Amino acid sequence: MSKHEGVEVERAPGPNELRDPLVRAELRRASVWFGLAIAAGLVVLLIQPLLIIFGGLVFAAMLDGGVRLLGRVLPIGRGLRLMIVVLLALAFILGTFYLTGVQIAAQAEQLRSTLEIQGNRLIAWANGMGLMPGRSDLSGIVQQAMGSVGRLTSAVGTVFGAFTSLFMIMVIGLFVAMEPRIYDRGLQWMVPVGNRAEFAVTINRMATTMRRLLAGRLAGMLFEGVLTWLLLWIAGVPMALLLGIITGLLAFIPNIGAFISGVLMVAVGFSAGVDTGLWAIVIYFVVQTFDGYVLLPIVARRTVDLPPALTLSSQILASTLFGILGLALADPMVAMIKVALERESERAAKAGIRMNEEDEAQTQA
């Protein structure tokens, strides 16, 4: 080996040096996977705060939709319109509980005792038929179920946690609704300059989709709650007002909410007699049929059309992983993922069309 070759060998980077292109490529690849692992771990560790933040964004979209709707009839500043929306919402909630608070409180206690009695009757019937081993009652089964469930990753396992999460969601949503463009610019600043235009379009579509989804949900909640209350009241079902409120609130969670409200409705109906129970079953199917075949298609055409199987699957997965808060936010999360995937598909299609046009231009040249 010549002296010149020996000098080149001495100056050549070793396999463990960062100057080696192979080492640099492997380090970049390892850093990407390592970063993804850290990001996944942080998401698992911080899932509850992330859900609260996402819930705040959902609440902000709800307030923003009301502000935009009010802006069509009142040409005033955004701050004043937001204040009017918040005051109207508070007035509605406080007025409802003021006018019907005593009745709702009495009916809530009556509903609890009625459900316990009906549950014990069902369990006694199952014991008599030999469907359940041993003697048991509703309270014992509930205690066993709660003991077997263990800890969930949700902070809404207690009443204090539920109110704390709800308060934080409302505070975050109110701050975001006051100055949404500040947070929009902040998100765009975190994205590389070359991708900011596409990112802005995606964010705007997500916001529009969120507002439409929530508008449809609120319309369905109001319709189901009022219609259920009126029909149950006409049929003489006890606790019609409370059942109507519960049905309206649970309508925010499609499929699962309708099933829970139906179970409550039928249980209360049969507590007043067989005829009343049959009427409760009829009312439940009438409301859900009209909602599923008339109201939902109309709302879906104007808002977000999510397939029922996808909605139910996402609710089951989100409730298993994240608890009650995940169940309530499953639909907005799926809607945002759908918008992101559609936007990415559009970008890929545009890139393909551009490449085809360039190939045709080169061929013609």
Side-chain angles (χ1 to χ4, degrees), residues 211-227:
R211 288 194 298 268
R212 291 179 177 177
L213 175 66
L214 295 176
R217 289 287 185 268
L218 291 176
M221 291 168 62
L222 180 62
F223 171 80
E224 287 194 30
V226 173
L227 183 61

Side-chain angles (χ1 to χ4, degrees), residues 14-29:
N16 60 342
E17 295 185 32
L18 296 180
R19 291 183 297 170
D20 191 343
L22 179 61
V23 174
R24 290 183 178 181
E26 292 297 330
L27 283 177
R28 283 196 298 267
R29 187 178 303 173

